[in-house]
């Protein structure tokens, strides 16, 4: 494997930050907004994140969700790369079972050629959608495609590195552009994403960087990171483990406003989990919603794993989480209705973490 990731895994950070800070953005579409407005806001946010000193700006593959406009990470990343100049851009992630590995190798080979040294390829094994949509995406691939993830990953890495062994069915196939057509050009660093122990172990055995979805699987965070570190084997990519965690954060100038804003994302998630995905509701709708007891329990449980508050509260919450998990990097995500409120949340997080004075 020829991948090297000095920039991808460790980087000098702006300001007085203890560890690198990054953003996972979902191109959120709220009530009263259009996908065009959401994507325009995501582009502006990537530009601000670059100015504020964030290390990475990742987007995620989701399908059939009206409140998320990032269904095709490669397309969106090409656009973001054309409107930024330094910040690392990546997928958090591409759901590999939905795609042929050769297609992903080609897409990210193009991105790497367009924006060399700035692209991360984060891979997940979940469909990122419901079963019916997954079936439509995979067509003839069977619904057990996620179980074939290690094989798909191996195939993708061989396409990226142009090193299929002699006699392999795909020995003569080339992913272009990439290492096959431009030897020595390198390729995007590959990350494994997960919300349980499966990808943690796989990333550890392969010596790859690992990103854990703490923001929606908080109970599994520490066990998964421990498993990753225990199973880690040094590789050409990394000499020691490197793990980031995704963290839900809602910051505002005042705690009361932050808690009001957080209600929107919580209601959107409750609807998604109960099979009713839609646009992100307004804070007013979330406040007026007639929650029953079970729904209120879900909302309270969800918000208990989101860092919510003003600048000082957010700083304390992130510091506690980093200390408890030992994460090498934090990747924050703010599911907030209203583009200005979302931008302000990320700006306050940057200040809280020491990126900005």
């Amino acid at each position: 494997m020829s991948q090297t990731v000095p920039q991808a895994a460790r980087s000098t950070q702006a300001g007085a930050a203890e560890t690198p800070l990054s953003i996972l953005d979902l191109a959120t579409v709220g009530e009263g907004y259009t996908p065009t407005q959401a994507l325009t806001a995501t582009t502006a946010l990537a530009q601000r994140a670059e100015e504020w000193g964030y290390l990475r700006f990742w987007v995620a593959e989701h399908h059939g969700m009206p409140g998320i406009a990032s269904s095709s990470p490669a397309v969106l990343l090409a656009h973001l790369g054309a409107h930024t100049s330094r910040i690392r851009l990546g997928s958090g992630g591409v759901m590999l079972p939905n795609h042929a590995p050769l297609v992903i190798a080609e897409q990210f080979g193009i991105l790497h050629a367009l924006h060399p040294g700035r692209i991360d390829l984060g891979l997940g094994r979940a469909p990122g959608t419901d079963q019916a949509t997954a079936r439509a995406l995979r067509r003839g691939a069977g619904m057990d495609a996620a179980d074939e993830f290690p094989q798909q990953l191996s195939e993708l890495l061989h396409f990226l590195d142009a090193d299929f062994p002699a006699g392999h069915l795909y020995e003569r196939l080339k992913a272009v552009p990439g290492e096959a057509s431009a030897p020595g050009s390198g390729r995007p660093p590959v990350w494994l994403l997960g919300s349980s122990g499966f990808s943690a172990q796989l990333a550890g055995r392969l010596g790859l960087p690992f990103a854990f979805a703490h923001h929606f699987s908080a109970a599994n965070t520490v066990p998964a990171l421990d498993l990753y570190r225990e199973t880690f084997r040094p590789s050409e990519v990394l000499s020691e483990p490197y793990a980031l965690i995704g963290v839900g954060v809602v910051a505002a100038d005042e705690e009361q406003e932050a808690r009001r804003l957080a209600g929107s994302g919580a209601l959107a998630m409750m609807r998604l989990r109960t099979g009713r995905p839609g646009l992100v509701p307004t804070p007013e709708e979330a406040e007026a919603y007639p929650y029953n007891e079970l729904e209120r329990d879900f909302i309270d449980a969800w918000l208990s794993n989101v860092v919510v508050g003003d600048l000082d509260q957010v700083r304390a919450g992130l510091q506690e989480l980093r200390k408890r998990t030992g994460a090498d990097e934090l990747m924050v995500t703010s599911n907030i209705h209203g583009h200005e409120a979302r931008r302000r949340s990320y700006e306050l997080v940057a200040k809280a973490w020491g990126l900005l004075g």
Side-chain angles (χ1 to χ4, degrees):
M1 186 181 297
S2 63
Q3 176 185 4
T4 56
V5 291
Q7 282 186 302
R10 294 171 178 80
S11 177
T12 301
Q13 195 67 1
E18 299 177 39
T19 55
L21 191 68
S22 299
I23 287 176
L24 170 64
D25 191 70
L26 303 181
T28 304
V29 186
E31 289 284 353
Y33 293 93
T34 67
T36 296
Q37 290 172 318
L39 292 167
T40 298
T42 285
T43 305
L45 179 61
Q47 293 171 326
R48 298 293 82 73
E50 183 171 79
E51 294 173 3
W52 295 332
Y54 282 93
L55 175 57
R56 310 176 205 280
F57 192 95
W58 283 6
V59 297
E61 177 185 348
H62 292 282
H63 300 279
M65 300 181 188
I68 298 176
S70 57
S71 56
S72 179
V75 174
L76 182 52
L77 291 173
H79 176 76
L80 296 177
H83 289 81
T84 56
S85 59
R86 300 183 309 278
I87 194 168
R88 295 195 65 86
L89 302 169
S91 56
V94 164
M95 302 297 106
L96 185 55
N98 293 341
H99 312 278
L102 176 57
V103 171
I104 300 305
E106 290 173 338
Q107 289 177 350
F108 278 77
I110 291 173
L111 287 169
H112 180 68
L114 286 170
H115 312 293
R118 296 179 57 206
I119 301 298
D120 297 323
L121 173 51
L123 300 167
R125 71 184 187 102
T129 187
D130 59 86
Q131 288 189 355
T133 306
R135 187 175 293 108
L137 286 164
R138 297 171 183 175
R139 304 300 289 179
M143 292 310 295
D144 60 349
D147 296 332
E148 301 171 2
F149 181 76
Q151 179 182 341
Q152 291 178 305
L153 175 62
S154 175
E155 188 177 304
L156 172 60
L157 293 174
H158 282 306
F159 275 125
L160 290 171
D161 290 326
D163 64 353
F164 278 105
H168 192 281
L169 177 64
Y170 298 150
E171 177 187 2
R172 298 182 181 278
L173 298 185
K174 309 297 182 184
V176 178
E179 193 68 16
S181 58
S185 62
R187 43 92 156 175
V190 172
W191 291 68
L192 294 195
L193 281 56
S195 58
S196 65
F198 182 93
S199 291
Q201 284 186 292
L202 186 57
R205 291 200 304 267
L206 296 176
L208 295 174
F210 179 55
F212 187 81
H214 173 82
H215 54 299
F216 62 80
S217 188
N220 294 322
T221 302
V222 172
L225 293 185
D226 286 346
L227 193 57
Y228 169 60
R229 294 167 183 138
E230 290 166 4
T231 57
F232 183 85
R233 300 173 185 172
S235 67
E236 293 182 22
V237 176
L238 289 175
S239 60
E240 58 189 40
Y242 189 91
L244 70 75
I245 59 172
V247 186
V249 182
V250 177
D253 292 291
E254 297 181 357
E255 178 186 0
Q256 183 176 358
E257 175 62 8
R259 298 200 175 279
R260 190 180 79 91
L261 293 171
S264 295
L267 177 56
M269 182 54 63
M270 187 193 78
R271 287 172 168 169
L272 176 62
R273 291 287 177 88
T274 54
R276 299 172 292 158
L279 302 180
V280 177
T282 65
E284 292 77 16
E285 182 180 354
E287 289 176 323
Y289 186 90
Y291 299 96
N292 61 36
E293 185 176 352
L294 288 177
E295 290 173 335
R296 176 50 63 187
D297 288 345
F298 176 91
I299 295 294
D300 291 343
W302 179 261
L303 290 176
S304 70
N305 293 312
V306 180
V307 178
V308 181
D310 61 21
L311 188 148
D312 291 334
Q313 291 168 316
V314 165
R315 178 189 297 114
L318 292 179
Q319 287 176 337
E320 186 279 330
L321 187 59
R322 188 200 63 79
K323 182 178 180 180
R324 175 160 54 88
T325 64
D328 300 290
E329 182 176 335
L330 301 181
M331 178 167 278
V332 296
T333 183
S334 294
N335 190 12
I336 295 174
H337 181 276
H339 303 315
E340 180 56 32
R342 187 161 54 115
R343 185 205 64 79
R344 180 59 174 163
S345 179
Y346 285 122
E347 182 179 19
L348 287 171
V349 173
K351 288 183 178 180
W353 204 240
L355 303 186
L356 296 173

